[in-house]
Amino acid sequence: MTATAPPVGEPDRTQPRNTPASPAAARLLRLLPAAVAALCGVLLYVSFPPRTLWWLALPAFAGLGWALRGRGWKAGLGLGYLFGLGFLLPLLVWTGVEVGPGPWLALAVIEAVFVALVGAGVAVVSRLPGWPLWAAALWTAGEAARARVPFEGFPWGKIAFGQADGLFLPLAAVGGTPVLGFAVVLCGFGLHEAVRAAVRARRTGRIRRSAAAAALLSVAVPVLGALAARPLVSAEAEDGTATVAVIQGNVPRAGLDFNAQRRAVLDYHARETERLAAEVEAGKADRPDFVLWPENSSDIDPFANADARAVIDRAARAIGAPISVGGVVERDGKLLNEQILWDPAKGPVDTYDKRQIQPFGEYLPLRSLIGAINDEWTSMVSQDFSRGTEPGVFTMAGTEVGLVTCYEAAFDWAVRSEVTDGAQLISVPSNNATFDRSEMTYQQLAMSRVRAVEHSRTVTVPVTSGVSAIIMPDGRITQKTGMFVADSLVQEVPLRSSQTPATRLGVAPEIVLVLVAAGGLGWAVAAGVRGRRAGGV
């Protein structure tokens, strides 16, 4: 009777196995894939900012490929979950800085479920020819899902956001974060397959040319693609230049309780703007065309409070330039996280309301359920913010400035919409004071660097307490502040209006990769069904 291959997605039990020396050794051998998966997840975390070890993502995925290849979907589910926990638990620890470990652990545990599902899928497709391609597409599909559900998604930890210093960064201009992340994961899985093919060739003396070619292409194509994409990355001015000032006023102290000192925060930003104005008058600093304040720089509503309005008016007149002010505004019974364009002569002339608001930070899903668990959490978000509906592009001294408020920078659509609406420069006003000196600000800064290359725009990052920065369209940081200091950054920056392929294509590359993932998974499942039928004959 002819032997049949095991169905796709099921472990291969037809191959001879080496008998371990003892039951203890057998147990350790069984635990090895789990340990490797978890440790590779940690390795992926280490590849993220503030470290510049972007290349560690490649061995992280190579190790995950070793753990998953040839296993059944159930094993893949568990191993993928361990990988996800190893990655997300340390990456997201900042979410518990002020509210304790409960929300942090809950977030990591839930988000790791997406990685677990990807692990199951990778195990299933790992018997297909050219499996790194299908596996990398599945990872992209997992990120696409995680960016949309639950509660409109949480894209934090996209592989692309760990590559701001990496070789693959130019691919962001080709197809955005999905293509950049896909290339990194493909290269990692391809690295495993290349090593596996080399070991097999050395052991048997034979080279399986098709498998070796697929492995080498999985590594070479992303690298060559990144090199070929370099001409898309440029910091040259297309529409002249503008001199921009980024203000970091600092806060009285770190933590959520700084909101009780809202007037002090406003005063700090006005004072730093006036200090800069004095330096300009003394010839010690260039005169800015416009000034950018961070999110929550005026938590006192300047439309309803004359004293707050007077403070901002005085700062705008002192610097003699329009200011984008981050305010908390109540209008028509709605609470809004708003950027306000403040003219030195006319006062407020335009607004942008944050569209992608943060669950559990700016609004509370499942409020009654969460209140039953811990009423302190509901008191932290006593009133939900409302969402804006329109892109925010301010005309500031003749420059079109696109506003992407803090959390929105993690979402592809929110950044792209400002560029397609005419932005020549992007500003990401943020408030990181709530997260103390954690890695959060560096992770978010890396996102802005990727966005700069993705859309070929200068990106400014004004932050209440740091790190504020000015980023060139090629992703380079040219100036940045420290944390929890008052400071200002003034620089002449290039303005650009051309659109990268990533800007023009929008969500299309992600859709294509999701379809590739679905095709690979469908092929693997169909092959598995045929294999089981053949085995039963």
Side-chain angles (χ1 to χ4, degrees), residues 26 68 70 74 81 105 109 139 155 158 251 265-266 287 308 320 380 383 392 402 422 476 485 513:
L68 292 176
K74 292 180 182 178
Y81 195 67
L105 294 173
V109 164
W139 184 275
K158 273 189 167 187
V251 297
V265 175
L266 172 57
R287 182 174 298 278
M380 289 180 183
Q383 182 180 352
R476 289 179 297 117
V485 294
L513 290 170

Side-chain angles (χ1 to χ4, degrees), residues 120-143:
V122 170
V124 170
V125 302
S126 67
R127 295 182 184 279
L128 295 178
W131 71 269
L133 170 68
W134 315 111
L138 278 166
W139 184 275
T140 303
E143 287 191 339

Side-chain angles (χ1 to χ4, degrees), residues 29 77 82 100 106-107 137 153 204 259 281 291 390 499 523 532:
L29 195 61
L77 190 72
L82 290 172
L107 178 62
T204 64
N259 284 311
E281 290 301 320
V291 180
E390 300 294 331
Q499 294 188 359
W523 179 13
R532 283 192 291 272

Side-chain angles (χ1 to χ4, degrees), residues 334-355:
K334 296 179 179 180
L335 192 63
L336 301 166
N337 186 338
E338 189 165 84
Q339 288 291 311
I340 308 164
L341 176 54
W342 207 282
D343 185 87
K346 301 176 183 178
V349 294
D350 201 357
T351 60
Y352 166 65
D353 299 324
K354 187 176 181 180
R355 293 170 293 165

Side-chain angles (χ1 to χ4, degrees), residues 441-463:
T441 189
Y442 300 103
Q443 293 171 8
Q444 191 176 52
L445 188 59
M447 291 181 194
S448 296
R449 293 180 64 192
V450 172
R451 299 305 186 190
V453 173
E454 181 179 12
H455 299 292
S456 195
R457 294 293 187 273
T458 297
V459 176
T460 60
V461 186
V463 183

Side-chain angles (χ1 to χ4, degrees), residues 259-447:
N259 284 311
Q261 304 177 59
R262 295 176 298 166
R263 175 57 188 267
V265 175
L266 172 57
D267 287 344
Y268 282 12
H269 285 82
R271 184 185 307 160
E272 181 60 25
T273 303
E274 290 166 1
R275 187 195 66 79
L276 175 61
E279 287 197 346
V280 170
E281 290 301 320
K284 297 179 181 179
D286 293 335
R287 182 174 298 278
D289 295 313
F290 52 89
V291 180
L292 302 170
W293 283 12
E295 177 189 35
N296 299 131
S297 46
S298 179
D299 274 350
I300 301 175
D301 185 348
F303 295 103
N305 295 271
D307 58 339
R309 184 182 184 112
V311 169
I312 301 170
D313 268 334
R314 186 173 64 247
R317 287 196 301 268
I319 197 66
I323 303 176
S324 179
V325 178
V328 174
V329 172
E330 190 164 356
R331 184 181 298 116
D332 301 327
K334 296 179 179 180
L335 192 63
L336 301 166
N337 186 338
E338 189 165 84
Q339 288 291 311
I340 308 164
L341 176 54
W342 207 282
D343 185 87
K346 301 176 183 178
V349 294
D350 201 357
T351 60
Y352 166 65
D353 299 324
K354 187 176 181 180
R355 293 170 293 165
Q356 187 70 45
I357 58 176
Q358 182 183 353
F360 305 101
E362 292 171 306
Y363 78 100
L364 199 61
L366 310 174
R367 181 176 288 274
S368 58
L369 176 61
I370 291 171
I373 299 171
N374 189 330
D375 58 2
E376 290 184 6
W377 294 345
T378 59
S379 64
M380 289 180 183
V381 189
S382 58
Q383 182 180 352
D384 291 343
F385 280 79
S386 295
R387 304 172 188 276
T389 57
E390 300 294 331
V393 179
F394 288 167
T395 302
M396 304 183 74
T399 298
E400 301 299 308
V401 180
L403 284 306
V404 179
T405 305
C406 196
Y407 184 61
E408 292 182 319
F411 293 82
D412 295 345
W413 68 268
V415 185
R416 178 177 179 267
S417 67
E418 313 303 69
V419 178
T420 57
D421 205 45
Q424 299 167 299
L425 176 149
I426 298 170
S427 183
V428 185
S430 302
N431 174 18
N432 296 340
T434 317
F435 305 108
D436 202 4
R437 296 182 180 272
S438 70
E439 294 182 355
M440 182 269 187
T441 189
Y442 300 103
Q443 293 171 8
Q444 191 176 52
L445 188 59
M447 291 181 194

